[in-house]
Amino acid sequence: MSVRPADLGDVDAIVDLELVAFPLDPWSEPLVAEGVAGRVPTTSYLVAERGSVFVGHAAVSVVQEIAELQRIATVTTARRTGVASALLAAVHDHAAACGAERLLLEVRDDNEAALAFYAGAGFAEIARRPRYYRDGTDAVVLQRFVRMGE
Ligand SMILES: CC(C)(COP(=O)(O)OP(=O)(O)OC[C@H]1O[C@@H](n2cnc3c(N)ncnc32)[C@H](O)[C@@H]1OP(=O)(O)O)[C@@H](O)C(=O)NCCC(=O)NCCS
């Protein structure tokens, strides 16, 4: 598997996966295209491929010492094969290279797969946002420290 910066040729695959992975709040084609084109200065998109087949994407925003993992998703047929782990490692390297000290994210309280994934990856809960999502679900705020060479 490989992870690389996304380019405009990846936009359709990213948008398709957004619809599957985040059905309540998918990112739109114009939003993704703008980000992939580099017109959102703080945000970077990464894609994972197996061979030349798209298997997942991540989006991370870095502002000074804080990196925020905004998106991470794996195509359904490739889950539990290490795709998100590889994306997260690349996100971590990017955050470290940008000088970030902490990697933060928000996850739905009912997203058991993601909570298990992040717990295994060493994230710790630092806050809760009650009824954060439109359907009333709480957000859990997780953090992991960014250290060079990890
Ligand atoms: C959460 C998600 C990104 C995980 O992606 P993935 O590529 O399947 O994750 P990995 O294969 O790298 O999993 C690494 C480890 O995380 C844990 N994990 C991942 N998915 C899990 C699940 N469904 N149940 C329990 N543990 C899980 C396991 O420990 C796993 O290791 P193992 O397979 O050897 O047991 C994926 O389920 C997904 O795309 N979900 C929809 C989008 C989403 O919710 N994103 C996060 C939003 S905050």
Side-chain angles (χ1 to χ4, degrees):
M1 189 182 344
S2 57
V3 177
R4 60 167 175 78
D7 61 39
L8 285 174
D10 301 310
V11 170
D12 287 351
I14 293 171
V15 171
D16 286 350
L17 179 52
E18 281 285 318
L19 290 166
V20 172
F22 306 103
L24 299 176
D25 176 31
W27 282 3
S28 67
E29 196 270 344
L31 185 80
V32 172
E34 200 177 34
V36 168
R39 287 197 291 271
V40 184
T42 57
T43 302
S44 299
Y45 283 70
L46 299 168
V47 295
E49 290 177 315
R50 202 161 260 143
S52 56
V53 178
F54 172 91
V55 287
H57 69 272
V60 56
S61 158
V62 184
V63 178
Q64 297 181 346
E65 79 277 15
I66 303 291
E68 189 187 343
L69 180 60
Q70 298 183 324
R71 285 301 208 237
I72 189 163
T74 300
V75 298
T76 316
T77 50
R79 288 186 187 166
R80 302 302 290 269
T81 65
V83 172
S85 300
L87 283 164
L88 182 61
V91 163
H92 183 105
D93 289 349
H94 172 76
C98 293
E101 294 168 7
R102 297 187 286 149
L103 179 58
L104 298 176
L105 61 91
E106 283 153 4
V107 57
R108 292 174 60 95
D109 184 40
D110 61 359
N111 190 342
E112 290 177 15
L115 286 166
F117 169 67
Y118 293 130
F123 282 82
E125 180 176 331
I126 58 164
R128 268 178 182 265
R129 305 199 203 289
R131 303 184 60 78
Y132 180 80
Y133 296 101
R134 247 179 300 180
D135 65 353
T137 302
D138 292 356
V140 184
V141 183
L142 301 178
Q143 167 180 287
R144 194 174 83 174
F145 289 101
V146 174
R147 295 189 182 91
M148 268 307 209
E150 273 187 14

